[in-house]
């Protein structure tokens, strides 16, 4: 088996949270007097605060960016985090890859505390070879830092032996900057055109569809 490690995004890929993040960002921006169409916010989901805020508010200074990020995080944790649910077969997919001897890595733009919550939510603590969050890097996706950091935690892996699974164009772009192929899933509600523009090697409806086709998918290659 060529693929020795799989780097999984979490939000929108393993856990159904993208719509929740849109609402949390909408409220955070409203608190600073800014208003955006929800689709416009959605199209930035998958980025961390450092990338999302400058795209929507290019004139925001560093203090404003930090304040917005803190507000979003507080709103998300207070209103949404505890109600977030894994997508069907999310745990089964991680367990299947682990059972094949592939290293399972979570590589997310979420905060460290959110990542820790998701690991328990996915019942994945015993399945993971490593995990990275926005707390571990200077720049979030689509910068490559999160995937680079994840690979540094598991030395000896060549890009050709690693694959990314994510739901946004930013996952795919970040992977490409590391020389890593990526499989996209539609569960984050990005269009095929948006996903294809970043160059995934395959697109599946969700992680359940990917698991069902595992042997024939790029993960099982």
């Amino acid at each position: 088996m060529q693929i020795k490690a799989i780097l999984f995004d979490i939000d929108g890929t393993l856990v159904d949270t993208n719509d929740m993040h849109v609402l949390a960002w909408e409220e955070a921006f409203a608190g600073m007097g800014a208003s955006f169409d929800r689709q416009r916010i959605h199209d930035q989901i998958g980025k961390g605060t450092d990338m999302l805020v400058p795209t929507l508010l290019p004139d925001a200074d560093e203090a404003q960016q930090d304040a917005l990020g803190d507000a979003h995080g507080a709103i998300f944790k207070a209103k949404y985090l505890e109600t977030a649910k894994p997508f069907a077969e999310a745990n089964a997919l991680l367990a299947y890859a682990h059972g094949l001897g592939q290293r399972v890595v979570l590589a997310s733009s979420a905060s460290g505390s959110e990542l820790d919550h998701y690991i328990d939510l996915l019942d994945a603590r015993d399945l993971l070879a490593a995990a990275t969050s926005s707390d571990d890097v200077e720049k979030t996706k689509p910068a490559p830092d999160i995937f680079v950091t994840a690979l540094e935690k598991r030395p000896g892996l060549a890009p050709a032996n690693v694959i990314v699974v994510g739901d946004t164009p930013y996952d795919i772009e970040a992977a490409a900057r590391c020389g890593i192929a990526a499989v996209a899933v539609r569960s984050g509600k990005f269009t095929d055109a948006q996903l294809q523009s970043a160059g995934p090697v395959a697109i599946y409806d969700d992680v359940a569809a990917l698991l069902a086709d595992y042997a024939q998918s790029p993960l099982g290659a």
Side-chain angles (χ1 to χ4, degrees):
M1 183 174 290
Q2 180 184 5
I3 300 302
K4 300 186 184 323
I6 306 169
L7 311 184
F8 289 94
D9 172 63
I10 300 176
D11 288 291
T13 301
L14 297 173
V15 182
D16 189 5
T17 53
N18 280 12
D19 288 344
M20 297 175 179
H21 279 295
V22 170
L23 296 175
W25 275 116
E26 181 180 54
E27 186 173 338
F29 282 120
M32 294 190 69
S35 177
F36 300 98
D37 179 83
R38 285 181 182 172
Q39 185 61 50
R40 190 173 174 198
I41 298 174
H42 170 271
D43 288 347
Q44 299 303 315
I45 297 299
K47 297 178 177 180
T49 297
D50 62 312
M51 296 293 191
L52 185 150
V53 173
T55 302
L56 295 177
L57 282 180
D59 294 332
D61 59 28
E62 187 173 349
Q64 290 172 316
Q65 289 182 36
D66 290 344
L68 279 164
D70 290 345
H72 163 264
I75 293 163
F76 182 76
K77 289 172 186 174
K79 292 189 173 183
Y80 304 110
L81 183 62
E82 292 299 326
T83 63
K85 303 295 183 187
F87 286 111
E89 305 290 3
N91 169 270
L93 177 61
L94 303 181
Y96 189 80
H98 177 76
L100 292 175
Q102 294 171 312
R103 297 173 188 175
V104 175
V105 179
L106 299 185
S108 172
S109 292
S111 68
S113 61
E114 289 170 15
L115 173 63
D116 197 56
H117 175 82
Y118 291 144
I119 291 172
D120 288 333
L121 183 66
L122 291 160
D123 193 20
R125 206 163 287 277
D126 293 337
L127 305 175
L128 300 182
T132 58
S133 72
S134 60
D135 294 356
D136 300 318
V137 299
E138 289 189 14
K139 294 183 178 180
T140 62
K141 302 168 189 173
D145 302 29
I146 284 175
F147 294 144
V148 169
T149 300
L151 291 177
E152 287 174 347
K153 293 184 177 184
R154 305 303 305 180
L157 290 170
N161 300 126
V162 180
I163 198 161
V164 163
V165 178
D167 68 298
T168 78
Y170 315 117
D171 296 310
I172 303 162
E173 289 175 29
R177 293 179 183 184
C178 301
I180 300 172
V183 170
V185 288
R186 299 184 177 97
S187 48
K189 300 182 180 178
F190 283 82
T191 67
D192 279 15
Q194 288 173 307
L195 296 172
Q196 288 284 13
S197 69
V201 293
I203 300 179
Y204 286 84
D205 282 347
D206 49 33
V207 289
L210 181 55
L211 176 61
D213 192 49
Y214 203 97
Q216 288 73 44
S217 78
L219 276 63

